[in-house]
Amino acid sequence: MFCKLALKNIRRSIKDYAIYFFTLVLGVAVFYVFNAIESQTVLLDVTPRMRDMIELTNGILSAVSILVSLILGFLIIYASRFLIKRRSKEFGIYLTLGMSKRKISTILLLETLFIGLISLAIGLLAGVVISQFTSVLVANMFEANLTRFTFVFSVSAMLKSLLYFGVIYLIVMIFNTVNISRQKLINLLSSSRRSEKVKMKNPWVCTVVFLVACAMLAWSYWMVTAGIADFISSVEENFFLVIATGVIATFLLFWSLSGLLLRIFTSLKGIYYRKLNSFTLRQFSSKINTTVASMSLISLMLFVTICVLSSALSVRNYINATLRDEIPVDIEFVKYYHTDTDGKPEATQVGSFKDELEQILADHGINADEIFSAIVAFPRYESNILSLRDTLGELADEIELTNPELYIDSPEEVIHLSEYNALARAIGNPELSLASDEYAIVANYQPAITTFRNPALAANTEITIAGKTLRPKYSEVQNGSVRLSQAYGNDGVIIIPDSISLDNKEVIEWVAECVYRDNIDKKAAEAAIEDVFSHYGIYQSPDSDGTYSSFIYFNSRQEIIDNSVSTNAMVTFIGLYLGIIFLISSAAVLALKELSESSDNRDKFTMLRKIGTSEKMLTSALFWQIAIFFAFPLLVAIIHSIFGIKFCSFILEGFGGMDLIGAITTTAGILILIYGGYFLITFLCSKNIIREHRH
């Protein structure tokens, strides 16, 4: 009997369960999709390095799933409270007819169980279908081919979904049982007549609070954009201060607007008294007045969602678009020298690192001429030759003041013109020309170029090296990099004429940049080189006395690509996972609050209907009421996000930049699909609620 009654109640209350059911299905589907990535990546044909990163990504996603399950658990409990409130009168009638609370709890428990089983089944089915499309995304993210693509059903993801959501439903059942057992009959029967008290706020107080909130937000916005130098100067203190200021300002903004908006609109007579605008605006003002904390939290969650999704996606898009163009060299060998007891570099041998490298490879059966079309070796000078302060000249103190994070006494990297041009020819970059008294700077890290390199060059700053004074050949930085490992963040290399002789004691390392021939098996060649440098990429060649004064390690273009692609894929998946869950949570809470309000306001709509208001006007008033309620926290979140994304773009400059257009477009699509879906369901359900007693 209880089962039949529970199923009948579900069918009868299907409109009430729409948001609850939609949230459950969406949550299960998202949970399955991201946990199924582990099974999908097993089939990918990737390098061992990338396989290690994939395993790390899967481990992090599993850990994030615990957090996600907690968020969804609280959300489902919150939704259950709405359902109990919505049906409180029904439960009161059951008690009046003699049904015990234990039996009511049993019915509610069975309803929760049936809804849970149905949502699990549909959510898992949707997740399995969606995950087949995400298999393509996963392969694309890790740049693997799809030759082994097959239909994938992740048993582990299914078991995780069953376990996590089974525990959540069990907790919800216990919560509902306890909640019903504590309800009094009089409260159940009169719950629809009880409403929150709305206190009108002093408009002058609201105005002052609003201005204070705007000032606090303006300061926070300035700190993460124009005042970024001040922010970074004390980042540990400023980070939490800016966050706290933004959170408090957002709360004060909603608190003040809850009393200010109605005053503003009542003064606009032409708008306020048009159709049902007065009713709609009063309803909206009342909602904000009683939901200041939740609206602030929802707005902040939406802000985090937009920033996380945009940043995660933008990095990935930028990496795909520019990574290979900025790394034209295939292999980089670096020979480091041990330091003496005084911490200074030891004198280096005046010899060709290229010859030494070719001999090492030949000793291990590798012919360098057969696999490389070019090997460009050059010494890297640092130490006491030249510092950043020297290259900034008279601007040094000013730049240091405005960029406190800059280590202005750091040594500059210097190489000769012929060595740079040899590398430029090998990789197809334009060569440079210098007179005997000129120098140039090459870089590709935009903050460094615009902040201090170009201003110093434009000021015609002279430098002195080995007793020779040099002036800049170019008034701007020349785009490019000298080393493979600097391709992503080269903030400046000084190019000097060959006529200037430098002391070998200033050489801290030798570098050899190598380019593969087009007709070789690059994977096989790199595997053979890795065998030579088997000890973590390090090769040590003993000196004649049996000691080791130096060691050689190598970087490869493919290794950098693998690490970058894997890292950014991991960031993107985690960002998408958390961003979508935050979005679902925000939209679901808004939807449930609006449905609760619609349930409480049925009598008001009935009264409007009795005095002759057309159904079209009522529907229009309800639509705009819900639209404003959904749009308001989103609008505040978007304003926050404009400055938040600018801050993220500054932070992510180290990754190479951000493709904001593509990322924002994708984020907007996700927002429209999920947030818009909740809005549409909320409007349709609310319209049905206010029509229940139309006759």
Side-chain angles (χ1 to χ4, degrees), residues 294-306:
S294 57
M295 291 286 277
S296 302
L297 179 60
I298 289 168
S299 183
L300 291 171
M301 287 180 66
L302 289 172
F303 158 66
V304 171
T305 298
I306 295 171

Side-chain angles (χ1 to χ4, degrees), residues 382-393 396-397 399-400 403-413 452-453:
E382 266 191 9
S383 190
N384 300 319
I385 293 179
L386 191 70
S387 70
L388 177 57
R389 184 183 295 277
D390 297 328
T391 59
L392 298 180
D397 292 337
I399 291 175
E400 184 178 24
N403 299 272
E405 79 284 358
L406 196 64
Y407 182 41
I408 204 162
D409 292 312
S410 60
E412 293 276 40
E413 181 175 353
F452 56 89
R453 291 297 186 188

Side-chain angles (χ1 to χ4, degrees), residues 441-446 448-449 453 477-481 490-493:
I441 300 179
V442 296
N444 60 8
Y445 186 54
Q446 287 304 315
I449 293 173
R453 291 297 186 188
V477 168
Q478 303 303 295
N479 183 58
S481 59
N490 170 29
D491 59 5
V493 178

Side-chain angles (χ1 to χ4, degrees), residues 478-507:
Q478 303 303 295
N479 183 58
S481 59
V482 173
R483 299 179 56 192
L484 180 148
S485 55
Q486 293 176 334
Y488 241 8
N490 170 29
D491 59 5
V493 178
I494 314 301
I495 313 299
I496 62 173
D498 292 349
S499 58
I500 298 179
S501 298
L502 299 177
D503 191 340
N504 282 337
K505 291 184 179 181
E506 304 297 343
V507 176

Side-chain angles (χ1 to χ4, degrees), residues 105-318:
S105 297
T106 302
I107 294 173
L108 194 58
L109 185 147
L110 289 172
E111 290 181 19
T112 305
L113 177 62
F114 291 148
I115 287 290
L117 291 175
I118 295 171
S119 61
L120 264 175
I122 297 178
L124 285 173
L125 180 62
V128 171
V129 174
I130 296 172
S131 67
Q132 306 314 306
F133 296 97
T134 59
S135 294
V136 180
L137 173 64
V138 170
N140 177 262
M141 294 290 283
F142 289 105
E143 299 197 342
N145 62 62
L146 291 175
T147 55
R148 297 170 61 188
F149 175 77
T150 58
F151 176 85
V152 177
F153 175 74
S154 176
V155 176
S156 63
M158 182 196 70
L159 293 176
K160 283 184 181 179
S161 300
L162 292 175
L163 174 62
Y164 282 62
F165 281 88
V167 173
I168 290 173
Y169 293 151
L170 179 61
I171 294 173
V172 170
M173 291 176 186
I174 296 173
F175 171 82
N176 289 343
T177 301
V178 173
N179 198 0
I180 287 294
S181 66
R182 291 181 176 179
Q183 294 291 337
K184 295 181 180 180
L185 178 59
I186 186 63
N187 292 334
L188 291 172
L189 293 174
S190 61
S191 63
S192 60
R193 298 181 181 180
R194 289 183 284 118
S195 59
E196 297 178 81
K197 293 182 179 180
V198 179
K199 295 181 180 180
M200 297 303 293
K201 298 170 183 173
N202 188 307
W204 293 108
V205 174
C206 290
T207 301
V208 172
V209 173
F210 176 77
L211 293 176
V212 170
C214 290
M216 294 173 68
L217 286 174
W219 178 82
S220 298
Y221 294 158
W222 180 85
M223 282 293 287
V224 297
T225 51
I228 191 67
D230 293 336
F231 180 90
I232 294 177
S233 63
S234 301
V235 64
E236 293 182 359
E237 298 175 4
N238 290 333
F239 182 77
F240 294 103
L241 181 60
V242 168
I243 290 178
T245 302
V247 171
I248 294 171
T250 303
F251 176 83
L252 294 178
L253 184 69
F254 281 100
W255 186 92
S256 60
L257 286 175
S258 65
L260 197 59
L261 284 178
L262 188 60
R263 298 289 182 179
I264 294 174
F265 283 111
T266 52
S267 63
L268 303 174
K269 307 297 183 183
I271 297 176
Y272 185 71
Y273 291 110
R274 186 172 182 267
K275 295 184 178 180
L276 292 179
N277 286 353
S278 59
F279 173 74
T280 302
L281 292 172
R282 282 188 173 274
Q283 288 292 104
F284 174 66
S285 181
S286 173
K287 289 175 185 176
I288 296 185
N289 198 30
T290 57
T291 58
V292 172
S294 57
M295 291 286 277
S296 302
L297 179 60
I298 289 168
S299 183
L300 291 171
M301 287 180 66
L302 289 172
F303 158 66
V304 171
T305 298
I306 295 171
C307 288
V308 167
L309 289 176
S310 299
S311 300
L313 292 170
S314 65
V315 172
R316 170 61 188 172
N317 292 342
Y318 186 88

